Amino acid sequence: MPVPGVFTHCPYCALQCGMSLRDAEGQLLVGTRDFPTNRGGLCQKGWTSAELLASPDRLTMPLVRAYRAAPLKPASWDEALARVAAEIRRSQSVYGPDSVAVFGGGGLTNEKAYALGKFARVALGTSNIDYNGRFCMSSAAAAGARAFGVDRGLPFPLPDLAVADTILLVGSNVAETMPPFTRWLSDQQDNGGALVVVDPRQTPTARRATLHLQVTPGTDLALANGLLHIAIAEGHVDEPYIAARTSGFGDVRRVAAAYWPERVERITGVTVAEQRAAVRLLAGAERAMVLTSRGAEQHSKGTDTVSALINLALALGLPGTEGSGYGCLTGQGNGQGGREHGQKADQLPGYRRIDDPAAREHVAAVWGVDPARIPGPGRSAFELLDALGTAGGPRALLVMGSNVAVSAPSSGRIGRRLGSLDFLAVCDLFLSETAASADVVLPVAQWAEESGTMTNLEGRVLLRQRAAVPPPGVRTDLEVIAALALLLDAPGQWNAEPEAVFDELRRASAGGPADYAGISYERIAAEDGVFWPCPAADHPGTPRMFLNAFATPDGRARFVPVEHRPVAEDLDAEYPVYLTTGRLMEHYQSGTQTRRVRALREAQPEPVVEVHPDLAEACRLNEGDRVRVVSRRGAAEVLVRITETVRPDTVFMPFHWGGSSSANLVTNPALDPVSKMPEFKVCAVRLEAVA
Amino acid sequence: MTSCRLVVVGNGMAGCRFVQEVLARDADRRLGITVVGDEPGGAYNRLQLSNVLAGVARVDSIELAGEQWYAAHGVTLCTGTAVVRIDRQAGRVELDDGAALPYDVLVLATGSSPVLPPVAGLLRDDGRLPPGVVAFRTLADCTAIAQLAVTAEHAVVLGAGVLGLETARGLAGHGLPVTLVQRGSRLMERQLDADASRVLTRTVRSLGVQVRPGAGVRAVRVDGRVRGVVLDDGGTLDADLLVLCCGVRPRVELARAAGLAVAVGVVVDDQLRSSNDPRIFAIGECAEHRGRTHGLVAPSWEQARVAAQVITGSGEPVSYRGLVTVTRLKAAGIELASLGDATADDEDGSGDVEVIRFSDSSRGVYQKLVVRDGRLAGAILLGDTRAVGTITQLFDRGAALPEDRSCLLMVRRNNPAAVVQSPAMLPGRATICQCNGITKAGVCAAWQDGARDVDQISARTRAMTGCGTCRGAIEGIVAWLTGADAGSSVSA
């Protein structure tokens, strides 16, 4: 029976809008509530989110296939779990602990992310665990950590945006990806603030900008260095701040000297006048912010691109100054918390490094194991997926909270890798594209059916309260993890109650960069969320970081000199057009959820490619034609949508669909050397009309 | 462990870039690098000197590599030192301080020297320029001009190429009366056609620079220091500051004396290797590749990259193919870009070239596209360079142009003013609230259902509950419906 009038948060993006769920004759209805991030706002995805609870597609029984070519058939939980445990034992007894891999997701609660990381290290003893946040946040996380000593998406609360004089928003289409966020930009502009948007597309966000820089895909780094060049040349840098609070400016100044406006214009396509206008708006502001999203980050030089933008922010004296700063807009619901508690290949809970002996000792004590039992760093997401079934690679995989068959780059190749596994187990609500190819599918509860904490894009830890009981036959992810740990005779405690897991997480994170020790479910409910770090019960939490010092050993932020380089795959005669990918307002991630909501499906029923009229003319394409978007890796067949909002040299595809229309059949898995982020945002394609 | 001694002659933009490209490819420092530069200090961005002179860029912003940078990267830098001889036999260069540097590989990046026009009185008996006259090339020249400009009352800039224009504009910006004297009839004659030159002349004059095209200088009047110039027509101009911007010529004396093949520049192949000594390379303005020398930084840097790749033997085999030329004038109040074959004309009867022109004399705008085989061969954008990003990329990529060429010059406004449109004119299916997919028909239906203000409509339809920016549009529809309700019924 549903519990009436429960306060919770939306199941989708990192804004995690506050909402209420109320029982109306056996059906849960979404209502608004006044929460400090969304202030009563919701987008269509949020309003329709409860529809999924009663979806006829819901899995309510485990599915098992007897052998790879056999069909999936219903099975009991005991049978399914025993099969998973047996396959794990078999694989590990022959091929060793690393032969079993785990793949998590940025939508999992903190409790699940924590438990999954612990499960991999303690129950499986494998180093092979990573998650889809690698495809999302990793570049910004790496750049933030190397500049500030810690990565928290926004180191300041959202209301600070409303009073910023200038916001530089790079590669973010918040008007479609998190609409209620845009209210803060409206307030900011109503207060007389300027919004500068950098985007190759004239998105709804770009259309509201004071200044839109319609940059060439893959050249944000050069643009950032160019803006810094102008700031230095025109004497706008904050020398006292640089002297007191940073290190390494000399090298960055030298690098920036080579990015004069005319050179940058030729690389980026952004005119000298536009560059100067952007710098004037930033430098003339008393409070200014530089914000990045996937458009800047999902590149094979995403980390360096973010570093270039952080350099600009530091030179202007923004980070750690109240009302100003650099921030990254996290994408996935728990993209922030999901990267802090140990489901990342190189990390332990509390945003600790897995190769740090002190971190290993602390976490091992909480887990009740010998530190030596904790494996070292493993493969990053794409490297892990690309190694599946290869010699020396994992032969069995457990997936939780991710649809890798659709969301990984060059997904045709990843589909073949999944097919070459000895064993694949997937936990999901629906028979996603990935689940459909699994040997065992475990039906799990969804957001409103279990409690748990999420950490939103501000670093505010939130509580989702259970509003309904799961349908019969469905278990929670935590129950699955605990049951498997038991079957595998894992040492330590394996609790399936979210609050008990959270208490363990608090202890594991204590003393780490992302310290949750002082956060409790009661405090979250009473205080509209608590910002980490919060090391003690009487600590107020930290809405604004870095006001006194950065989290580096010497307390100074670090400039990192970075150089522009070409995209991993540039245009040529055979593939003369850039493809960039992104999201639509109505859909979320691989579409497993939103494609099953009627209103959303009807609004955007099938995938399209957006084509500029000049390019359409050159390719002899008309609105609504079927076209193949072809790259060196594969082709996707979609409908043509003609629009002047894209550049004539660039087409845009949303990535919410699987099958033969999946954008990621085409994208390039070239990885960032630091973050291992694939280059989702630009590759070379051609368009072929389908007869 | 050093196993190869690399000597670079010249520490300008090409030489410095080359060293950086080498270091990026030589992680284990197999090369022992020595750089010899005849200017004092480290390397700086020569291209920005006119901005420094104009006061647009601070001098501390143009340093590409300070002396300490070389030390920090294990590179030996000899500043203020000239190479006087290359001894190819012995494999060493001899310096003006008597020292000699052995090399295994030698890279000439000697750049150019300014051309001094053959004008009576320009050179003193000792071969030097008289006080008040500066041939503009180096940071020291820039500093000297800036100092002279403080007390000068009349400046004359000789030569109306890019540097001459930037210099004249920069000096005028300081309030100094400036006359720009040009022997030829056009300004920037390599980059502009006659029409563009006429428009530019007007623009430059409006910025306080006197322009004297078609005026050769016959003599320089000197009386202890420069006092003025005498023009070919006998007219005179007073000047206590004379800046020479009469072009450059490659510095090839060392190469020629060493017996290397030299035409205008040091002749190099596609790997930037000199044609008759495989151990000697030349890059930048001193190099001549396939019969062409250049005075631009983009090809210099591309040559630096290719030479570094060849010399370190890293990565893919690589060749220098030459680069198309893009010239951007850096002068406050003048928007100008010239690309490639910008002076070509469609009136020569050959019929192989297509020219698109737009001009608006009242705004000082002149735009021209030169098209060959459906691709951009050249362009001039003067007075309005909003399309320069797109045009340059089409040019650089050799991309096919859209059939309607005119749209290339028509730039959309960034923020089209909100179209004020009566709700009556909107179709019922027009989306009013993007975030929740609410159409005008949906709003009207809510009204028919009894919702009478925006908040009631929002509660009923969920419009405005996302980003909230559609409030104005919904207020407009409510006002229209209210007004219409008083009269007759409306339909969506």
Side-chain angles (χ1 to χ4, degrees), chain B residues 330-345:
Chain B
K330 301 182 299 298
I334 309 173
E335 284 296 326
L336 173 58
S338 169
L339 288 63
D341 190 5
T343 59
D345 212 312

Side-chain angles (χ1 to χ4, degrees), chain A residues 204-327:
Chain A
T205 313
R207 283 200 288 277
R208 10 179 341 143
T210 316
L211 177 66
H212 172 207
L213 310 180
Q214 197 167 7
V215 68
T216 306
T219 65
D220 307 278
L221 199 170
L223 179 64
N225 279 356
L227 299 183
L228 178 59
H229 175 100
I230 294 172
I232 294 169
E234 295 186 353
H236 295 308
V237 302
D238 187 341
E239 301 282 2
Y241 170 96
I242 290 171
R245 303 211 52 191
T246 72
S247 62
F249 184 54
D251 278 344
V252 167
R253 179 198 294 269
R254 178 181 55 72
V255 167
Y259 290 81
W260 61 93
E262 292 77 13
R263 174 174 178 235
V264 170
E265 174 181 275
R266 197 167 171 186
I267 298 171
T268 65
V270 175
T271 65
V272 172
E274 290 169 326
Q275 294 172 47
R276 290 195 190 279
V279 173
R280 265 199 304 279
L281 288 171
L282 277 172
E286 197 176 311
R287 292 175 300 271
M289 290 174 177
V290 177
L291 304 178
T292 65
S293 275
R294 306 307 81 70
E297 300 159 14
Q298 287 178 327
H299 293 276
S300 58
K301 55 178 179 294
T303 306
D304 283 356
T305 299
V306 175
S307 282
L309 288 157
I310 291 176
N311 290 341
L312 174 65
L314 287 171
L316 296 172
L318 308 182
T321 302
E322 187 161 345
S324 296
Y326 161 78

Side-chain angles (χ1 to χ4, degrees), chain A residues 30 32 40-45 47-48 175 179-180 182-183 186 202 206-212 214 216 229 232-235 239 251 253-254 257-258 260-263 265-274 276 563 571 578 585-586 614 617-618 620 644 647-649, chain B residues 13 17 20 45 47-48 51 55-58 60-66 69 73 297-299 301 323-326 328-330 335 337 385-390 392-393 395-397 402-404 407-408 412-416 434-437 462 464-469:
Chain A
V30 171
T32 58
L42 285 179
C43 74
Q44 198 176 7
K45 292 192 292 291
W47 280 115
T48 56
T182 319
R183 294 166 167 238
S186 297
Q202 196 193 3
R207 283 200 288 277
R208 10 179 341 143
T210 316
L211 177 66
H212 172 207
Q214 197 167 7
T216 306
H229 175 100
I232 294 169
E234 295 186 353
E239 301 282 2
D251 278 344
R253 179 198 294 269
R254 178 181 55 72
W260 61 93
E262 292 77 13
R263 174 174 178 235
E265 174 181 275
R266 197 167 171 186
I267 298 171
T268 65
V270 175
T271 65
V272 172
E274 290 169 326
R276 290 195 190 279
E563 294 276 6
L571 305 182
Y578 290 122
M585 212 282 295
E586 292 83 357
D614 289 349
E617 186 181 64
R620 308 279 179 258
E644 291 190 33
R647 297 165 50 98
D649 62 359
Chain B
M13 294 195 73
R17 183 73 173 188
Q20 292 176 338
N45 189 336
L47 220 62
Q48 299 300 307
N51 277 340
V56 176
R58 293 154 52 114
D60 64 359
S61 75
I62 69 167
E63 183 180 271
L64 292 171
W69 179 85
H73 290 81
V297 71
W301 281 14
L323 280 190
V324 293
T325 58
V326 175
R328 283 288 262 132
L329 190 73
K330 301 182 299 298
E335 284 296 326
T385 53
R386 284 178 299 167
V388 68
T390 313
T392 306
Q393 290 185 335
F395 176 65
D396 277 341
R397 293 176 190 159
E403 283 161 33
D404 180 3
C407 63
L408 292 171
R412 70 173 170 81
R413 293 181 184 280
N414 257 337
N415 280 306
Q434 292 289 346
C435 302
N436 279 289
R462 297 171 182 165
M464 286 162 39
T465 60
C467 71
T469 45

Side-chain angles (χ1 to χ4, degrees), chain A residues 545-683:
Chain A
M545 302 179 82
F546 315 138
L547 294 182
N548 299 312
F550 295 96
T552 52
D554 62 1
R556 288 169 176 268
R558 291 176 290 231
F559 281 96
V560 179
V562 287
E563 294 276 6
H564 167 74
R565 46 202 185 265
V567 295
E569 180 181 60
D570 218 331
L571 305 182
D572 58 22
E574 214 179 334
Y575 300 96
V577 181
Y578 290 122
L579 166 71
T580 189
T581 65
R583 282 175 47 190
L584 299 174
M585 212 282 295
E586 292 83 357
H587 287 294
Y588 184 67
Q589 305 302 74
S590 73
T592 304
Q593 291 156 281
T594 50
R595 281 185 272 135
R596 290 180 164 88
V597 174
R598 188 179 52 84
L600 303 178
R601 185 174 61 237
E602 284 175 0
Q604 296 287 354
E606 63 179 311
V608 296
V609 59
E610 293 187 352
V611 181
H612 188 275
D614 289 349
L615 182 61
E617 186 181 64
C619 299
R620 308 279 179 258
L621 295 171
N622 292 306
E623 177 81 16
D625 283 357
R626 290 208 79 80
V627 68
R628 279 160 55 82
V629 180
V630 185
S631 76
R632 289 178 176 84
R633 293 154 296 281
E637 201 174 302
V638 290
L639 298 182
V640 171
R641 181 182 290 168
I642 296 179
T643 170
E644 291 190 33
T645 60
V646 287
R647 297 165 50 98
D649 62 359
T650 305
V651 297
F652 168 76
M653 281 177 76
F655 53 60
H656 307 296
W657 282 269
S660 62
S661 58
S662 183
N664 280 326
L665 291 167
V666 183
T667 50
N668 187 356
L671 300 185
D672 182 295
V674 180
S675 67
K676 309 295 183 183
M677 170 72 83
E679 188 140 286
F680 285 110
K681 280 291 182 274
V682 56
C683 69

